[in-house]
Structure formats: C-alpha cells, structure tokens
Amino acid sequence: MKKAIKNTTLADRALFLILLIISAAGFFYSGEALSLGSEVVVEVKGRPVYTLSLDVDMELEVEGSHGHGVVEIKKHKVRMKDAQCDNHICVRQGWISRGAIVCLPNDIVVIVEPGRKTDIDAITG
Amino acid sequence: MQLQDKYRIAVLSAYALALHGFEALLPSPIPWFRLGLANIITITSLTLFGFRTAMMITLVRVVLGSIFIGTFLGPSFMLSLGGGIAGTCAMGAVHSVSKTLFGPIGLSLIGALFHNTAQLFLAYLLFIRRIEAVLVISPVIMLIGIISGFANGVVADVLIKNILKNDPDSIQNVARA
C-alpha cells in the first residue's frame, strides 16, 4: 500500500488533487443550485395562502387570526419581520433558509420548501 | 488474435466476472454506490497486455455479468455497458499516448471518472431528463469515484508489480495493439 502510493507519478498526484478540488467545488455549487429552486409557502389557519419564490426579495403583510404578520424575503432567506402577537417567538427566530417559522397566536406558518424542479424521482444503477 | 490471447482473455474475464458478481452481492449503503472492483482487472490487463485485451475483458464481463445477475438488456445493463466502454476507452487512450505519464492509480482515477460521467450522461438521456438532478448528484458520485478509484488503483499497482516480479513469463507473446 505505502509502496504503491510512493510509486505514483507526478501526474497521478496532480490528477488526484484536481479531481478532489473539482468535486469539493461541486458540492458548494450544487448546494447553491438546490437553494435556487426553493419556494416559500405562507399558510394561514392551515391553508396555503401565498407561494413565493425565495429568489425575489420582497415584504408581505399577512392577515392572521390575531392580527397581521410581516414576512420578509431577502438574499434567499426569509424571516417574520413583525407580528401582532404577545411573545414574538416567530420574530426572534430570525432568518431561515430551510425549515419553518410558526406564529402560533396568529395561526401563520411560513415554510421553506424545495422547488419542484429539484425533486429526484428516479435513481438507478 | 493468437490462441494465447484467447486463453488470457478467458482467464482474466473470469477474474473480472468473479469480482463483478461478488460486488453485486455486497450490501451498498447508498443506492448508486459501487466499488468497481472489476476495474482492477481492466487496469492490470491494459497495462500488461494492451487495449484490445482490456476492452474484450470489459465487454465479456459486462454482458456475462448482467446475465448472471439478471439485469441483461435492462436499464442498469445499459448504464453498466456505457460506463464500462467509456472508462476502458479513456484509460486506453491515455495509456496509448504515454505509458509513463500515469501509473495504475492515475489510470484508475481516469477510468472511474469517465465511467461515472458516461453513466450520468446515459442516466440523463434515458431516465432522469432533469439537468438539475444530475448536477446536484454529480459531485457526490465524483467523490465516491475518486475514493474507490484510488483504492482500486492501489490494488492494481500491487497486482501488476507482483505479476511482473513473480511471473514474468506469463506476459510473453503479447501482441501489442
């Protein structure tokens, strides 16, 4: 084993390194490609009210059961900017790029979902 | 093709087939993960006996292997055939350009890379049809290919050294293609 590694030519080592770098770079790039397809679903009282793209920066006022909440999308992240409720747990949760924000008093749920484009429906081999 | 070439191809194909079949029995943690053990035989025969022998062994291995496992002419046979031919062609091309530039480990890495690329391309053409899915999955497949390709290259290197040292008579009468 050690002898075999010692016997590698310069080109062998260069190839090994280059391939490792490319695949490592590919991991970062593919992560970006995944998040590009994501969308934000805003649900009020269990019903999806808005479906927004995570790519477009915007602010949105949502009417909940207790008052209104303000959803803000910026730089592929989403947060509850403001909400009319007592505890403000949803506001304190801050920016998310995956998962969900739940505002229980207002019955508003903000879910980040992967876009339909990146769903893999078949793996073979 | 000489008679000795036929014997050689038969024996090496049997080795490759055994590895191929053994590998199919192993449980794989990830669905598309395969070690590519049979590539050890392809590299060894490419280095010692030339491209034509290596290609014959690959073809025999893929066709007979799929018949034994039961996937003949199925989707995974197509992927296996395409990957095998592409990998062997790539390794043969590099080896014919320069015999000293890449050692067995480098050849194995090239073979694994082209094998995986061809499989991804075929999978895209035949089944997935979604470029995003292929792009997302390719770095994972590439990394696995590098690791297993490296391991196979080390084994092939040891194998080639041992054959050259202990049994140099076995590689006489080689019709270099």
Side-chain angles (χ1 to χ4, degrees), chain B residues 8-9 11 31 43 49-50 64 66 73 79 81 93 97-98 108 116 122 135 137 146 151 159 161-162 168:
Chain B
R8 204 171 273 145
I9 288 168
V11 171
I43 298 161
F49 309 117
L64 283 185
S66 68
L73 294 182
L79 295 180
L81 185 67
V97 169
S98 166
S108 176
N116 288 337
L122 277 176
L135 281 180
I137 230 173
I146 294 169
L159 189 58
K161 294 260 156 60
N162 274 320

Side-chain angles (χ1 to χ4, degrees), chain A residues 44-57:
Chain A
V44 179
K45 294 175 195 167
R47 281 208 200 117
V49 186
Y50 298 102
T51 305
L52 313 164
S53 168
L54 206 54
D55 303 332
V56 186
D57 295 354

Side-chain angles (χ1 to χ4, degrees), chain B residues 1-3 5-6 8-10 12-13 41-42 45-60 88-89 91-93 95-96 99 174-177:
Chain B
M1 197 179 285
Q2 295 176 342
L3 189 63
D5 280 339
K6 286 183 187 170
R8 204 171 273 145
I9 288 168
L12 287 166
S13 300
I41 302 298
T42 314
S45 49
L46 178 67
T47 332
L48 295 180
F49 309 117
F51 175 70
R52 273 177 57 185
T53 312
M55 185 51 104
M56 275 305 289
I57 289 164
T58 306
L59 291 176
V60 169
T88 311
C89 282
M91 289 192 292
H95 191 68
S96 72
K99 299 218 186 317
V174 175
R176 295 264 179 198

Side-chain angles (χ1 to χ4, degrees), chain A residues 65-81:
Chain A
S65 57
H66 191 264
H68 67 80
V70 181
V71 177
E72 188 184 9
I73 298 174
K74 208 174 186 181
K75 289 179 187 169
H76 306 298
K77 285 185 171 182
V78 61
R79 70 165 172 172
M80 194 72 100
K81 195 182 183 187

Side-chain angles (χ1 to χ4, degrees), chain A:
Chain A
M1 171 89 186
K2 257 187 192 162
K3 216 176 171 189
I5 292 171
K6 217 180 257 178
N7 280 334
T8 50
T9 65
L10 194 68
D12 283 345
R13 291 173 201 192
L15 182 74
F16 185 69
L17 275 180
I18 289 169
L19 288 180
L20 268 187
I21 290 167
I22 291 175
S23 74
F27 270 103
F28 288 106
Y29 177 77
S30 72
E32 235 163 64
L34 257 184
S35 71
L36 282 177
S38 310
E39 47 188 34
V40 178
V41 179
V42 180
E43 289 184 0
V44 179
K45 294 175 195 167
R47 281 208 200 117
V49 186
Y50 298 102
T51 305
L52 313 164
S53 168
L54 206 54
D55 303 332
V56 186
D57 295 354
M58 64 181 305
E59 254 185 63
L60 181 77
E61 221 173 276
V62 186
E63 209 51 53
S65 57
H66 191 264
H68 67 80
V70 181
V71 177
E72 188 184 9
I73 298 174
K74 208 174 186 181
K75 289 179 187 169
H76 306 298
K77 285 185 171 182
V78 61
R79 70 165 172 172
M80 194 72 100
K81 195 182 183 187
D82 193 22
Q84 287 184 337
C85 57
D86 304 329
N87 49 24
H88 281 78
I89 287 175
C90 50
V91 178
R92 258 185 278 147
Q93 196 177 340
W95 297 99
I96 61 164
S97 57
R98 63 191 67 192
I101 299 173
V102 181
C103 186
L104 211 54
N106 277 325
D107 218 340
I108 300 173
V109 183
V110 179
I111 308 166
V112 182
E113 287 183 340
R116 260 164 238 145
K117 280 179 192 167
T118 52
D119 283 354
I120 295 166
D121 60 2
I123 293 169
T124 52

